[in-house]
Amino acid sequence: MTHLAFIIPAYGVALVIPAAFALDAWRRLSRARARLAALEGGRRR
Amino acid sequence: MLRAVDVFSPIAPPRGARGLHRFANPGRFLRLAGALLPWVSAIGLILTVIGLYGGLFVAPADWQQGDAVRIMYVHVPAAWLASAGYMALALASAASLVWRHPLADLAAAEIAPVGAGFTAICLITGSLWGKPMWGAFWVWDARLTSVLVLFFLYLGHIALTRAFDTPERGYRAGAILALVGVINLPIIKFSVDWWNTLHQPASISLTGAPKMYIGMLWPLLFMALGASLIFAALVLARLSAAVMERRVRALLAARAEGA
């Protein structure tokens, strides 16, 4: 395969940026879900 | 006047917009997003993996560009999503300004970073494709420059929505910037026709037959559809998190008032 020095970084960037967004979204969702459950659980008690 | 912060309170829809507002209720949105998110993510990932395999190992090399043409399979979907994401941002901003709906504000705020990310992918992969083809990572060509302006519009929106003490003012300012910036979308689309550019004109259009070999076209379409679903999944996940975070803030504020 020719031009690997350009193809590998291009695919790397195209995979790393969405993966970073996915990780951040997953962490935000988990944290928000846990905090909401704690607050609403506390309110019900 | 500032909007109420209780995100789960029902919002009275204006006449003629009831269908849209039915899905804009935050509680209903969370249930819908929770049901859709696993499917959208899984289908997006499967399509992307098939597209990546097709683009890297099945599609032929270009007779002129060699294997460098394989950068197209990540560059072109990112470019389409950079513009489509901005259109979604503008629509959410219009909904925010017209109906003053808090979910539209949050949607705009969560679309902008993802759109900026895909625009960055478009610019970086384009630059990596340009070096072996044009001999330069960057040229001040009309297409490249207008996409760079799009990137700055996204960054401006992100900065503006976070620049005020009261979030509602930030959302309002960001919405106005997003709507003004829509003028850049036709400039990006037609820049290759209006000016002499190094960037090639479109090979695929909605009105005509594609000027591309079918063996190269199918991986590109798989990648475009997969990337679109991944974009949608990222926005759905971020927006769900933002709705819950707002609910947490509202509960904490109510608790502080009650203490």
Side-chain angles (χ1 to χ4, degrees):
Chain A
M1 200 181 274
T2 63
H3 301 103
L4 271 179
F6 300 98
I7 295 170
I8 291 170
Y11 276 75
V13 163
L15 295 178
V16 164
I17 291 179
F21 273 110
L23 186 66
D24 176 57
W26 178 74
R27 287 170 64 174
R28 267 181 75 187
L29 257 179
S30 308
R31 199 167 48 222
R33 216 173 259 147
R35 288 191 73 191
L36 197 55
L39 278 170
E40 291 190 325
R43 200 168 60 160
R44 281 194 202 102
R45 274 197 295 273
Chain B
M1 194 175 148
L2 300 182
R3 278 168 258 185
V5 289
D6 185 0
V7 294
F8 289 107
S9 60
I11 293 161
R15 283 184 184 281
R18 288 179 199 275
L20 188 70
H21 277 257
R22 200 154 48 86
F23 295 105
N25 178 281
R28 192 169 288 143
F29 167 79
L30 277 182
R31 284 190 292 278
L32 188 67
L36 281 177
L37 192 54
W39 290 100
V40 175
S41 311
I43 297 170
L45 273 175
I46 291 167
L47 292 177
T48 303
V49 168
I50 296 171
L52 278 174
Y53 179 77
L56 279 173
F57 304 111
V58 181
D62 185 73
W63 71 280
Q64 265 184 324
Q65 301 188 26
D67 285 303
V69 77
R70 297 187 197 282
I71 295 175
M72 169 181 73
Y73 301 109
V74 287
H75 172 72
V76 172
W80 286 345
L81 283 168
S83 289
Y86 196 86
M87 184 51 81
L89 172 63
L91 288 174
S93 300
S96 162
L97 288 175
V98 173
W99 291 303
R100 303 198 164 196
H101 199 293
L103 195 62
D105 288 334
L106 289 181
E110 298 304 331
I111 289 169
V114 182
F118 276 78
T119 311
I121 293 173
C122 170
L123 288 168
I124 296 167
T125 56
S127 180
L128 287 163
W129 195 4
K131 178 65 179 170
M133 295 303 107
W134 303 336
F137 282 111
W138 184 264
V139 286
W140 291 102
D141 166 288
R143 170 61 68 82
L144 277 68
T145 307
S146 54
V147 175
L148 184 65
V149 169
L150 182 73
F151 183 61
F152 290 145
L153 283 168
Y154 274 124
L155 294 187
H157 186 276
I158 295 166
L160 210 48
T161 52
R162 298 173 187 190
F164 293 84
D165 289 334
T166 47
E168 287 73 15
R169 284 186 182 166
Y171 293 142
R172 178 73 56 85
I176 292 167
L177 173 70
L179 289 177
V180 171
V182 167
I183 191 69
N184 193 38
L185 294 183
I187 294 175
I188 292 172
K189 166 80 179 116
F190 296 111
S191 56
V192 288
D193 304 320
W194 291 342
W195 292 287
N196 280 324
T197 61
L198 268 178
H199 196 285
Q200 68 170 65
S203 302
I204 300 170
S205 76
L206 292 173
T207 51
K211 302 170 196 160
M212 189 184 286
Y213 170 55
I214 189 74
M216 292 173 148
L217 183 62
W218 75 261
L220 180 60
L221 295 182
F222 267 78
M223 284 297 291
L225 199 53
S228 304
L229 291 177
I230 287 173
F231 189 105
L234 289 174
V235 172
L236 273 179
R238 292 174 62 93
L239 188 49
S240 299
V243 168
M244 284 191 253
E245 285 162 0
R246 188 180 263 207
R247 173 73 177 160
V248 166
R249 283 196 297 275
L251 285 173
L252 287 174
R255 186 174 283 189
E257 275 176 21

